[in-house]
Amino acid sequence: MESTANASPADLWDRLFGTQAAPEQWLVIAAGVVALAVVVPHGVWRVARNAITIAHEGGHGLIALLTGRRLDGIRLHSDTSGLTVSRGKPTGIGMILTAAAGYTAPPLLGLGGAALLSSGRITAFLWIATALLIAMLVMIRNAYGALTVVVAGGAFLVVSWLAPTDVQAAFAYAVVWFLLLGGVRPAFELQSKRRHGGAGDSDADQLSRLTHVPAGMWLFLFHAVSLCSLMGGGRWLLDV
């Protein structure tokens, strides 16, 4: 198949805004199995979780900007933690939405990606993801974070620009499955940490202080968003 690198501008425009044929069902299922094999084993997850952290902190940053806050920068750390710093009113709806965006961003991104893939817009998904990573790179404020985003963005760029259509499809479906499946695990990890007295300054605890709603209710919201996104996105990907 012809790669994007060999296409004319008209072909590129058509591939970005047009639709591509859906891959075989076995490839969709295989992509899900690969994603599950990355999310479940602890050793592999410790590395792969960096990608979820990118989406998590990117969610904080995007909502901060959309709610009128000033985004000072984003840091990603080698222990897969992250920090997004924004300035503005320390209370109110803008701060609440910004704090709530972290744990909900990966599964919602996966749900949005599933919607694009189910409508045949594989190339559009890859290019949108690349653009978001490039935009995020501008706000990264530490070397490890920059390296992580460059590696992720480079992978999307190479696949979207050079890979044949079937490879693009396999990569896109694996990424979306990973966001959906990987978006579920962090809320359970946070729940475990809080049960053992840790994570006292987690997003759920910050939201509790902002809204006077118990942190456990916010944790329930994180679970609900991630599990509903997985069920809805999975149905779209499997076309059932």
Coordinates of all heavy atoms in Angstrom, one line a residue, residues 55-69 71 74 84 98 101 105 109 132:
A55 N -1.2 11.9 29.0 CA -2.6 12.3 28.8 C -3.2 12.9 30.0 O -4.0 13.9 29.9 CB -3.4 11.0 28.4
H56 N -2.8 12.4 31.2 CA -3.3 12.9 32.5 C -3.0 14.4 32.6 O -3.8 15.3 32.8 CB -2.8 12.1 33.6 CG -3.2 12.6 35.0 ND1 -3.9 11.8 35.8 CD2 -2.9 13.7 35.7 CE1 -4.1 12.4 37.0 NE2 -3.5 13.6 36.9
E57 N -1.7 14.7 32.5 CA -1.2 16.1 32.7 C -1.7 17.0 31.5 O -1.9 18.2 31.7 CB 0.3 16.1 32.8 CG 0.8 15.4 34.0 CD 0.3 15.8 35.4 OE1 -0.1 17.0 35.5 OE2 0.1 15.0 36.3
G58 N -1.7 16.4 30.3 CA -2.2 17.1 29.2 C -3.7 17.5 29.4 O -4.1 18.6 29.0
G59 N -4.5 16.7 30.1 CA -5.9 17.0 30.4 C -6.0 18.2 31.3 O -6.7 19.1 31.1
H60 N -5.1 18.2 32.4 CA -5.1 19.3 33.3 C -4.8 20.6 32.5 O -5.4 21.6 32.7 CB -4.0 19.1 34.3 CG -4.3 18.1 35.4 ND1 -5.5 18.2 36.1 CD2 -3.6 17.1 36.0 CE1 -5.6 17.2 37.0 NE2 -4.4 16.6 37.0
G61 N -3.7 20.5 31.7 CA -3.3 21.7 31.0 C -4.3 22.2 30.0 O -4.5 23.5 29.9
L62 N -4.9 21.4 29.2 CA -5.9 21.8 28.2 C -7.1 22.4 28.9 O -7.6 23.5 28.5 CB -6.4 20.6 27.4 CG -7.5 20.9 26.4 CD1 -7.0 21.9 25.3 CD2 -7.9 19.6 25.7
I63 N -7.6 21.8 30.0 CA -8.8 22.4 30.6 C -8.4 23.7 31.3 O -9.3 24.6 31.4 CB -9.4 21.4 31.6 CG1 -9.9 20.2 30.8 CG2 -10.6 22.0 32.4 CD1 -10.9 20.4 29.7
A64 N -7.2 23.8 31.9 CA -6.8 25.1 32.5 C -6.9 26.2 31.4 O -7.4 27.3 31.7 CB -5.4 24.9 33.0
L65 N -6.4 25.9 30.2 CA -6.4 26.9 29.2 C -7.8 27.3 28.8 O -8.2 28.4 28.6 CB -5.6 26.5 28.0 CG -4.1 26.4 28.2 CD1 -3.4 25.8 27.0 CD2 -3.5 27.8 28.4
L66 N -8.7 26.2 28.6 CA -10.0 26.4 28.1 C -10.9 27.2 29.2 O -11.9 27.8 28.8 CB -10.7 25.1 27.8 CG -10.1 24.3 26.6 CD1 -10.8 23.0 26.4 CD2 -10.3 25.2 25.3
T67 N -10.5 27.1 30.4 CA -11.3 27.8 31.5 C -10.7 29.2 31.8 O -11.1 29.8 32.8 CB -11.4 26.9 32.8 OG1 -10.0 26.6 33.2 CG2 -12.2 25.7 32.5
G68 N -9.7 29.6 31.0 CA -9.2 30.9 31.2 C -8.0 31.0 32.2 O -7.6 32.2 32.5
R69 N -7.5 29.9 32.7 CA -6.3 30.0 33.5 C -5.0 30.1 32.7 O -5.0 29.8 31.5 CB -6.3 28.7 34.4 CG -7.5 28.5 35.3 CD -7.4 27.3 36.2 NE -6.3 27.4 37.1 CZ -6.3 28.0 38.2 NH1 -7.4 28.7 38.6 NH2 -5.2 28.0 39.0
L71 N -1.5 28.8 31.9 CA -0.7 27.6 32.1 C 0.8 27.9 32.2 O 1.4 28.4 31.2 CB -1.0 26.6 30.9 CG -0.3 25.3 31.0 CD1 -0.7 24.5 32.2 CD2 -0.7 24.4 29.7
I74 N 4.3 22.2 32.5 CA 4.0 20.8 32.8 C 5.3 20.0 33.0 O 6.3 20.2 32.2 CB 3.2 20.1 31.7 CG1 1.8 20.8 31.5 CG2 3.0 18.6 32.0 CD1 1.1 20.3 30.3
T84 N 1.2 19.7 36.8 CA 0.8 20.8 35.9 C 0.5 22.1 36.7 O -0.2 22.0 37.7 CB -0.5 20.4 35.1 OG1 -0.2 19.3 34.3 CG2 -0.9 21.6 34.2
T98 N -10.3 21.9 36.1 CA -8.9 21.6 35.8 C -8.4 20.4 36.7 O -7.7 19.5 36.2 CB -8.0 22.9 36.1 OG1 -8.4 23.9 35.3 CG2 -6.6 22.6 35.9
A101 N -9.8 17.0 35.5 CA -9.5 16.6 34.1 C -8.4 15.6 34.0 O -8.3 14.9 33.0 CB -9.1 17.9 33.3
A105 N -9.0 12.3 31.7 CA -8.5 12.6 30.4 C -8.1 11.4 29.6 O -8.6 11.2 28.4 CB -7.3 13.6 30.4
L109 N -10.1 10.5 26.2 CA -9.3 10.6 24.9 C -9.5 9.2 24.2 O -9.6 9.2 22.9 CB -7.8 10.9 25.2 CG -7.5 12.3 25.5 CD1 -6.0 12.4 26.0 CD2 -7.7 13.2 24.4
L132 N -1.6 17.3 19.2 CA -1.7 17.5 20.6 C -0.4 17.3 21.3 O -0.1 18.1 22.3 CB -2.8 16.5 21.2 CG -4.2 16.8 20.8 CD1 -5.1 15.7 21.3 CD2 -4.7 18.2 21.4

